[in-house]
Amino acid sequence: MKCPRLNELPPPPPGKSGWPWTEESPPVQAAAPETASWPKIGIVTPSLNQGAFLEETLRSVLLQGYPELEYVIVDGGSTDESIEILRKYESFLTFWVSEPDKGHAAAVNKGLEHMPASEIVAYLNSDDVYLPGTVARAVRVFREHPQAGFLYGDCYCTNAEGRVLSRYSGKPFNLALHVQECLVPQPASFIRRSALEQAGFFDEGVLHCLDYDL
């Protein structure tokens, strides 16, 4: 699907402004008219009782301005306002479901099953937010490095109000060092689906650090 524009989305809650409430990413076609086609990219958001943050996450994905986006939400059976938010945005989503599941990894895998055509995939947790233009930049880097199956960048750690507390910087990948510490900021990572299939998707027996395990 084509990402909606700001004026197509439901209005933000009272008092909310800035990204991604009253600002949007420029449409990718306008930013790069010389590009004839763009690969399809799929984003999964797993969630459970994250209604306080979910709408901001949704909008940060939907307002990426990218022309070939699949966006799937896998909710684990929330009892807060999450379902109301999902229904509010459901016309802009590829698919969403709310039902008990077997945990974080299972939820991400379930979402990936609903986007088999996406060449590049990622998952964004329901209390994380993409910055403007994140998706288009990731795709451009993959095009510049066609041999790469995986990429990651830096991200910011914020508090519940969105105030930046620190910067989480990715480090050049080194397997020996990675055994000791995670070098990859998960919210800023993207993977080619072919590489994900080769790795075997997420291990549903791993209840924590599923990204590190992958």
Side-chain angles (χ1 to χ4, degrees):
M1 71 175 189
K2 182 180 179 180
C3 283
R5 301 303 305 272
L6 181 63
N7 61 4
E8 297 175 301
L9 291 184
K16 297 289 188 179
S17 62
W19 172 261
W21 303 109
T22 56
E23 299 174 5
E24 62 183 337
S25 301
V28 168
Q29 297 101 319
E34 75 284 356
T35 305
S37 63
W38 292 86
K40 186 169 290 186
I41 187 165
I43 311 294
V44 179
T45 291
S47 187
L48 178 62
N49 290 327
Q50 290 278 64
F53 309 106
L54 180 60
E55 187 170 9
E56 186 174 12
T57 300
L58 296 182
R59 293 177 70 97
S60 80
V61 175
L62 294 173
L63 290 173
Q64 286 294 309
Y66 192 75
E68 292 290 341
L69 179 77
E70 293 186 296
Y71 190 26
V72 171
I73 315 296
V74 180
D75 181 86
S78 293
T79 56
D80 63 359
E81 67 268 37
S82 296
I83 306 309
E84 180 181 348
I85 293 169
L86 290 172
R87 287 175 177 155
K88 180 179 175 182
Y89 287 87
E90 64 183 348
S91 63
F92 305 102
L93 303 175
T94 304
F95 175 82
W96 72 271
V97 65
S98 179
E99 60 188 12
D101 54 46
K102 297 178 181 179
H104 201 168
V108 176
N109 284 342
K110 184 189 297 184
L112 292 168
E113 292 174 0
H114 289 275
M115 51 178 65
S118 289
E119 299 174 47
I120 300 166
V121 297
Y123 79 90
L124 186 71
N125 290 322
S126 51
D127 57 354
D128 292 332
V129 175
Y130 282 147
L131 292 174
T134 295
V135 168
R137 184 172 182 182
V139 171
R140 289 189 179 104
V141 173
F142 271 124
R143 284 184 158 176
E144 292 167 2
H145 301 275
Q147 79 287 355
F150 180 69
L151 69 83
Y152 55 95
D154 297 350
C155 62
Y156 295 105
C157 299
T158 69
N159 62 11
E161 289 71 44
R163 183 169 65 87
V164 174
L165 303 177
S166 62
R167 183 169 183 145
Y168 178 14
S169 297
K171 299 179 182 178
F173 194 80
N174 177 290
L175 185 57
L177 183 59
H178 191 64
V179 171
Q180 304 174 47
E181 62 174 302
C182 186
L183 309 177
V184 181
Q186 178 274 318
S189 62
F190 295 81
I191 187 169
R192 293 190 196 273
R193 189 179 183 93
S194 57
L196 182 63
E197 291 173 346
Q198 185 177 0
F201 291 86
F202 292 92
D203 185 343
E204 297 183 9
V206 177
L207 299 182
H208 305 286
C209 300
L210 65 153
D211 54 325
Y212 189 97
D213 175 72
L214 180 71

